[in-house]
Amino acid sequence: MIKNICCIGAGYVGGPTMAVIALKCPDIKVNVVDLNEARIDAWNDENLDNLPIYEPGLAEVVGQCRGENLFFSTDVNNAIAEADAVFISVNTPTKTYGVGKGQAADLKYIELCARQIASVAKTPKIVIEKSTLPVRTAEAISNILKNTGNGVEFQILSNPEFLAEGTAVQDLLNPDRVLIGGEETEEGKKAAQALVDVYKNWVEPEKILTTNVWSSELSKLTANAFLAQRVSSINALSELCEVTGADVNEVSKAIGTDSRIGSKFLKSSVGFGGSCFQKDILNLVYIAKSYGLSQVADYWEQVIILNDHQKKRFAMNIVKTLFNTVSGKDIAILGWAFKKDTNDTRESAAIYVADELLNERACVKIYDPKVKEHQMFSDLDYLKTRTTEENRSLVTVSLDPYEACKDVHAIAVLTEWDEFKDYDWQKIYDNMKKPAFVFDGRALLDQEQLAEIGFVTYKIGKG
Ligand code: NAD
Ligand code: UGA
């Protein structure tokens, strides 16, 4: 029976996932550990508004469990030593060097965790892959644990996470399914059952699926690939809608009512972002290539190619519409997060659209309700397209949306934050340069109402 959990990695997955386990399993002690001291300090901040991650409902859960059975600390060794089960929830970014650069997942943080668990563990442990990993990673983890450990017994499970940011707490409280992959040995089955028993505290047994380890690892990459593929499919059609006079929202609705297709993930956008879709598809492409399956690799790579095209064509359409030059023109960007209800900006389409506009020497004014200024500059600096000084001279960040839109030639809506719909658009129009343009990359605003005010509008996927 699992009584003490250690989770290595206090990020977007480790933090919320463990908070919900602590909430639903008051008899289990949950230690969430991380090397990043600032992050742990923020998780321990008395003011729950200062948690490092913004997710609706998360502060309430953390407030309820923290100090009771949920603890955040940098003492990784101690937490591993105490635990019956160790979740690995560290980041697995795309490799930026060496073999597989730009495609394969960088597993250095995973390997470091495995080595640390092996060296610290003095009692048997269940080691659980929570991070998204290439199929057959459990084999490598198992080798490290067995060859560098102190002779204690380890069982390795794959338990990928399917939460989406912005709805993480709801997704965790009420998951579509929980997936647990384990070895098909007696000990493997016992370990999987121990983890099933944890989830059974709040998830219906029929939603807890058990598989072999490789199926579980591959299912996670597959789920993300399928979701991203739907977005790229509808985005491909958005461009065709624009040239033919169709409306992609109407097309989505029409096809989504077919129960075989389903209505979710058919919202056309300026392009998908987030830390995982691109990384996981690139990883799938790399795995397929490494087994010599070039047609399989090419098929999935197209999802990324289309997504890059969507971001670029959105930016280029702004330039074209503003009389083929944006040099010296002010453009407001509403929304920097990769989707609403999160402060996460990783791979956000906004970063790439801003970058294209800055390349054309536009002056960009950004507003986002949850993203901090230092994060926006760090995202732009990371691209290394311009110097830090150039970015600071061309970009201003505003804490007030009306201020951000004042005196600009155009507004680009890049995140679907609900509050954008409620703005006083007449007031925004009155304070803009004319003609006043709105480029709606999320099909969020009422285009007719904007046109009545006097705006020239572009809505993604509408001809
Ligand atoms: P993240 O970057 O927010 O968090 C990872 C944390 O791990 C960081 O705080 C980092 O400091 C810490 N870390 C790295 N190495 C460590 C070590 N050796 N010891 C202690 N701490 C260490 O990443 P994330 O978004 O939480 O994603 C984690 C994994 O979960 C990835 O594999 C990702 O693909 C997967 N995933 C993410 C989401 C999501 O919505 N973000 C959803 C499902 C799955
Ligand atoms: C996604 C998956 O939905 C999760 O199941 C998975 O656990 C997670 O990746 C992960 O592995 O990290 P997330 O990236 O947080 O979750 O958010 P999504 O809701 O999937 O949105 C991803 C991107 O696609 C966003 O930029 C969003 O705006 C865009 N999107 C989504 C669209 O453009 N159209 C849609 O119809 C849906």
Side-chain angles (χ1 to χ4, degrees), residues 8-14 33-36 39 76 89-92 109 112-113 116 130-132 161-165 220 275-276 279-280 344 346:
I8 310 179
Y12 282 86
V13 166
V33 291
D34 204 295
L35 298 173
N36 182 335
R39 214 166 207 188
V76 183
S89 302
V90 300
N91 36 330
T92 50
Y109 305 109
L112 280 171
C113 287
Q116 195 163 1
K130 185 51 108 177
S131 300
T132 302
E161 185 47 60
F162 295 97
L163 68 81
E165 291 179 28
K220 173 62 197 176
S275 62
C276 293
K279 145 178 106 62
D280 292 347
D344 194 350
R346 290 177 288 180

Side-chain angles (χ1 to χ4, degrees), residues 373-374 377-378 381 387-396:
E373 174 169 343
H374 71 84
F377 280 116
S378 143
D381 291 346
T387 62
T388 304
E389 294 70 39
E390 283 171 320
N391 281 332
R392 270 143 198 82
S393 77
L394 291 169
V395 177
T396 36

Side-chain angles (χ1 to χ4, degrees), residues 217-267:
E217 289 177 335
L218 188 57
S219 297
K220 173 62 197 176
L221 291 181
T222 308
N224 273 358
F226 268 61
L227 290 168
Q229 179 207 41
R230 279 174 73 95
V231 179
S232 275
S233 296
I234 201 68
N235 280 344
L237 267 309
S238 74
E239 192 170 11
L240 190 57
C241 286
E242 288 171 26
V243 293
T244 55
D247 180 339
V248 77
N249 281 340
E250 291 177 354
V251 174
S252 291
K253 196 167 175 194
I255 63 165
T257 49
D258 185 324
S259 61
R260 294 167 304 173
I261 296 176
S263 61
K264 292 182 182 161
F265 267 75
L266 286 181
K267 184 107 186 65

Side-chain angles (χ1 to χ4, degrees), residues 340-372:
K340 73 172 179 179
D341 293 337
T342 176
N343 61 347
D344 194 350
T345 65
R346 290 177 288 180
E347 292 300 328
S348 178
I351 303 169
Y352 296 96
V353 171
D355 188 49
E356 295 286 353
L357 296 174
L358 292 167
N359 281 344
E360 295 291 328
R361 294 275 145 204
C363 300
V364 171
K365 295 168 82 181
I366 310 170
Y367 166 78
D368 186 285
K370 288 287 174 203
V371 180
K372 301 251 171 22

